[in-house]
Amino acid sequence: MTRRGTLLLITAMLLSLGTGLASAQDRIHGYLNETALQVRATPGVLHKREILSTRLGQLTRALAAARNMPLTSAGDAANLARIADTLHERSDELAGVNGFERVPDDQLDAFASYIVQDMEQADRTVSMSLVTLLLIIIIVILIA
């Protein structure tokens, strides 16, 4: 293969990697957005809490599984741990445990939206490899 061909191949791989990374992040945001939409569309308070609790638990378990995979770098594992800790805090807040005041019933819709915004903000400050993001997506799909 010529140098030019090799350069074109490397460029194509880097471009697809960037597209894959954006797609993986979009899938995670989509999962959280879907959760918020489901909560807003649900009339019963108990069912809203159940949806939030279940979906936060699923994502937390997916992050833990991805963190423990051999393909996950030490840096990604640390970032996943921070995100999982944040999700665990949101679960504690939802339930009103571990020093958190329970989210009032009339604020569950707003709380679901807050979780989406909070995770999107965290996403801007935490970078992960494409492999780790894809692992998370695969695990979330398998758990759900």
Side-chain angles (χ1 to χ4, degrees):
M1 186 177 255
T2 66
R3 284 187 186 187
R4 181 181 167 145
T6 303
L7 182 60
L8 287 173
L9 181 61
I10 291 170
T11 303
M13 288 173 62
L14 289 174
L15 288 174
S16 67
L17 180 66
T19 303
L21 185 59
S23 176
Q25 289 171 328
D26 288 346
R27 290 290 304 260
I28 293 169
H29 291 163
Y31 181 82
L32 293 170
N33 281 322
E34 181 184 309
T35 300
L37 290 172
Q38 210 176 6
V39 167
R40 284 190 288 259
T42 301
V45 173
L46 291 176
H47 196 227
K48 287 177 187 271
R49 283 190 188 281
E50 180 183 330
I51 291 168
L52 281 167
S53 179
T54 299
R55 300 290 294 235
L56 287 172
Q58 288 172 337
L59 191 51
T60 301
R61 285 189 304 279
L63 292 171
R67 187 175 65 229
N68 294 321
M69 295 283 219
L71 296 174
T72 303
S73 70
D76 283 352
N79 287 335
L80 289 172
R82 279 195 295 271
I83 294 169
D85 287 346
T86 300
L87 288 173
H88 188 71
E89 286 178 3
R90 297 301 159 255
S91 291
D92 288 350
E93 192 173 352
L94 178 67
V97 296
N98 293 328
F100 287 95
E101 192 171 317
R102 185 174 192 229
V103 176
D105 291 345
D106 64 344
Q107 293 181 11
L108 289 172
D109 292 348
F111 183 70
S113 296
Y114 166 71
I115 292 170
V116 172
Q117 292 171 351
D118 191 36
M119 289 294 103
E120 287 176 350
Q121 288 293 325
D123 202 32
R124 290 190 183 108
T125 61
V126 172
S127 63
M128 278 182 265
S129 70
L130 175 62
V131 171
T132 301
L133 286 169
L134 291 175
L135 285 172
I136 295 168
I137 290 168
I138 290 166
I139 295 166
V140 165
I141 290 169
L142 292 174
I143 290 175

